[in-house]
Amino acid sequence: MLWKVADASEILVITGAGIDDIKLAKKSWIFPGQSYTVVDLSPVNYTFQVQAMSAEKLPFVLPAVFTIGPRVDDDESLLKYAKLISKHDKLSNHVKELVQGVIEGETRVLAASMTMEEVFKGTKEFKQEVFEMVQLELNQFGLLIYNANVKQLVDVPGHEYFSYLGQKTQMEAANQAKVDVAEARMKGEVGAKLREGQTLQNAAKIDAETKVIATQRQGEGKKEEIKVTTDVKVFGNQKEADVAEANSVLAKKKAAWAQAAQMAEVEAAKAVALREAELQGEVERMNALTRTEKLKAEFLTKASVEYETKVQEANWDLYKKQKASEAILFQKEKGAEAQKALAEATFYSRQQAAEAELVSKKKEAEGLIALGQAQGAYLKSLHDALGNNYGHLRDYSMINRGMYQELAKINSEGIRGLQPKISIWNNGNGGAEGTDEISGAIGMKEVAGVYKMLPPLFNTVHEQTGMLPPAWMGTISDKTS
């Protein structure tokens, strides 16, 4: 009989006489017919390099460190651990392979249901889900995950996804910094020009001539500022085009990698099918040989020789037909691959042409917008310099562009070649109107004067417009004296 006490991080596992299954205790008497084992309960760190593949079939390496040990607060879990794991060293390959198999299996299943972006951005959620799924599997061994540390994802050689992603982020940050510098420079120059403009405007209230000179200088400064702004925008657009081109190259590489992976899977499947066919042919050949041996023993030598000859001929015919079928299949596959490559090349060329036309249209539109903004800024500066007087701005613009000279020229061209005819008529009243002898005669002479005025009036209208009076009012001759 032996009295045994376990250390703080250990437990006694006792079996033997008087114990149905096993007994766990920190201290106990060991009676004759019983045996005991001291089990260490301290957790152990397991470091792994788990290779997984995302939903887009992009492989990556997930470095992880798990601190795993038996669950000491649950008697049932301790019993499971004592029965299944305690006889092995916790650092042995058996225990390590067991834990590694559970972790790798659950990690790959989870990674296959998530995209690379989801795995990369949701590292915390990904770690938690791996932790929960692995813990469910380890419960059946009585093990508990005390700590799990998932390190940064690592690229698999030949699949540099995170490297390209880092280069993209770095390029975007550099481009943004350049844009910020250009904007700060633009604000400084614009502020300085505004202060100069205010000073020149105050001075212009005193002297009109100084006002004109200041306006001209301010206009020149605005033109230079607009030119600098336009150059900055063109440079930014060029960088955006370069980034877009890099993204398109990356997308093409991804498509090529996916295509290569699919081709490899198809080739592997074909190779397996071909190997199965070869093995099946070998089995059939062995069966044929066995039947041939039996026939040799039962029948005459001549019949067995004829049978072998027919079998060889049948095999030869089958071999020729099989090779012919394989040749036709290979030809069709190559034709399909050529058509697919031609279609991809055509699509790529059209896509490049469309992208080039889009960039050209964008550049043209940006140039028109910059020109309109420059003209608007120039007119606004003139309007401010002229005391916000629209009439003065209009007169200045018309004088500057020569519109008054054009109007004068158009008016002169409009009246050139006109030969107006001026007729002076006299009704010949003389001094009769001034006599007082006969008042009735005077009134009749006035009526007669009206009628005398009509012929020259009709004649003038006819000469100027070509129109004739109606027939009831009379006619006029074509010649006038």
Side-chain angles (χ1 to χ4, degrees):
M1 189 169 58
L2 177 64
W3 174 254
K4 187 65 178 177
V5 179
D7 293 337
S9 61
E10 296 177 345
I11 194 171
L12 298 176
V13 180
I14 306 171
T15 60
I19 300 174
D20 295 334
D21 190 2
I22 62 175
K23 177 183 176 182
L24 301 178
K26 295 293 288 185
K27 54 187 177 179
S28 177
W29 288 101
I30 308 301
F31 296 98
Q34 294 180 349
S35 63
Y36 72 95
T37 302
V38 179
V39 178
D40 187 8
L41 301 179
S42 58
V44 178
N45 290 331
Y46 296 95
T47 303
F48 307 104
Q49 295 284 339
V50 181
Q51 292 189 358
M53 184 174 292
S54 65
E56 306 99 338
K57 298 183 176 59
L58 294 176
F60 63 94
V61 176
L62 179 68
V65 178
F66 285 78
T67 303
I68 300 174
R71 188 187 295 272
V72 297
D73 57 350
D74 186 8
D75 295 336
E76 183 178 358
S77 298
L78 279 177
L79 289 174
K80 292 180 181 179
Y81 178 78
K83 292 179 182 179
L84 301 176
I85 306 296
S86 62
K87 65 178 180 179
H88 300 283
D89 184 8
K90 289 185 291 185
L91 297 177
S92 65
N93 291 332
H94 175 76
V95 178
K96 187 174 182 179
E97 289 175 359
L98 174 64
V99 175
Q100 184 176 1
V102 172
I103 295 173
E104 288 184 352
E106 298 301 329
T107 303
R108 288 170 179 165
V109 170
L110 180 59
S113 63
M114 302 174 66
T115 63
M116 186 67 77
E117 194 71 14
E118 293 174 349
V119 175
F120 184 75
K121 290 185 177 180
T123 305
K124 182 177 180 181
E125 292 77 10
F126 181 74
K127 170 186 173 182
Q128 185 63 30
E129 291 187 19
V130 171
F131 183 94
E132 294 175 356
M133 295 175 67
V134 173
Q135 184 59 60
L136 289 176
E137 295 296 327
L138 294 179
N139 286 338
Q140 58 185 339
F141 300 104
L143 295 174
L144 175 65
I145 301 176
Y146 287 92
N147 183 34
N149 184 16
V150 177
K151 298 182 181 179
Q152 189 64 37
L153 303 179
V154 181
D155 285 323
V156 176
H159 300 275
E160 290 77 12
Y161 174 81
F162 297 107
S163 298
Y164 288 130
L165 191 61
Q167 293 177 7
K168 176 185 176 183
T169 305
Q170 183 179 2
M171 185 63 67
E172 290 177 351
N175 292 334
Q176 185 62 39
K178 293 179 181 179
V179 172
D180 294 339
V181 171
E183 288 181 354
R185 186 183 295 111
M186 180 187 67
K187 290 180 179 179
E189 293 178 357
V190 170
K193 295 298 180 182
L194 288 175
R195 295 296 183 273
E196 292 177 2
Q198 292 175 356
T199 303
L200 293 175
Q201 288 176 7
N202 293 330
K205 294 179 181 178
I206 300 172
D207 191 0
E209 184 179 358
T210 306
K211 176 181 179 181
V212 174
I213 296 173
T215 303
Q216 292 177 352
R217 291 180 179 178
Q218 185 177 3
E220 292 175 358
K222 289 292 183 180
K223 290 180 181 178
E224 187 66 24
E225 178 185 348
I226 292 169
K227 181 179 178 182
V228 173
T229 305
T230 305
D231 293 340
V232 172
K233 289 183 178 179
V234 170
F235 180 76
N237 293 333
Q238 183 65 34
K239 290 301 179 181
E240 291 179 358
D242 294 340
V243 173
E245 182 179 359
N247 291 335
S248 64
V249 172
L250 177 59
K252 288 172 59 179
K253 289 185 177 181
K254 288 182 179 179
W257 295 335
Q259 182 181 3
Q262 293 178 357
M263 291 295 294
E265 292 178 359
V266 172
E267 290 177 357
K270 294 294 184 182
V272 171
L274 182 61
R275 182 58 180 168
E276 289 179 354
E278 292 177 354
L279 293 176
Q280 185 65 29
E282 186 69 21
V283 172
E284 293 178 356
R285 189 175 67 83
M286 295 301 295
N287 292 335
L289 290 175
T290 303
R291 291 194 297 269
T292 302
E293 292 296 331
K294 290 181 180 180
L295 291 173
K296 284 181 179 180
E298 294 177 358
F299 299 99
L300 297 174
T301 304
K302 182 178 180 180
S304 70
V305 171
E306 292 178 356
Y307 175 75
E308 290 180 359
T309 303
K310 291 181 179 180
V311 169
Q312 293 297 329
E313 291 177 354
N315 290 336
W316 173 247
D317 292 337
L318 177 61
Y319 177 76
K320 291 193 294 182
K321 292 179 180 179
Q322 183 178 3
K323 289 300 181 182
S325 301
E326 291 178 354
I328 294 173
L329 178 60
F330 180 77
Q331 184 178 4
K332 290 182 178 179
E333 289 179 351
K334 290 300 181 182
E337 291 176 357
Q339 291 179 357
K340 182 179 180 181
L342 179 60
E344 290 178 352
T346 304
F347 173 74
Y348 179 73
S349 62
R350 291 179 179 177
Q351 184 180 9
Q352 293 297 321
E355 291 178 354
E357 184 178 359
L358 177 59
V359 172
S360 176
K361 294 295 183 181
K362 288 176 66 178
K363 295 295 183 182
E364 183 178 355
E366 290 173 357
L368 293 175
I369 292 172
L371 179 60
Q373 293 177 350
Q375 292 179 351
Y378 177 65
L379 291 176
K380 187 178 183 304
S381 65
L382 286 178
H383 187 260
D384 296 338
L386 294 174
N388 297 326
N389 192 320
Y390 175 75
H392 292 174
L393 176 62
R394 179 194 60 198
D395 295 340
Y396 175 79
S397 299
M398 294 180 69
I399 292 172
N400 190 30
R401 298 184 180 181
M403 293 184 66
Y404 285 131
Q405 294 85 336
E406 291 294 330
L407 291 174
K409 183 177 180 181
I410 291 171
N411 292 332
S412 63
E413 292 292 335
I415 64 173
R416 178 180 295 177
L418 293 180
Q419 298 178 0
K421 295 182 178 181
I422 303 172
S423 300
I424 301 175
W425 296 82
N426 189 358
N427 54 16
N429 289 332
E433 296 178 1
T435 64
D436 296 333
E437 297 177 354
I438 304 172
S439 61
I442 295 175
M444 292 303 294
K445 287 183 180 181
E446 293 294 335
V447 175
V450 173
Y451 280 98
K452 288 181 180 181
M453 182 181 64
L454 292 176
L457 177 61
F458 291 154
N459 192 21
T460 301
V461 172
H462 176 67
E463 289 178 355
Q464 296 295 332
T465 64
M467 297 176 61
L468 294 174
W472 58 270
M473 294 185 67
T475 60
I476 60 175
S477 61
D478 294 335
K479 296 181 180 179
T480 60
S481 58

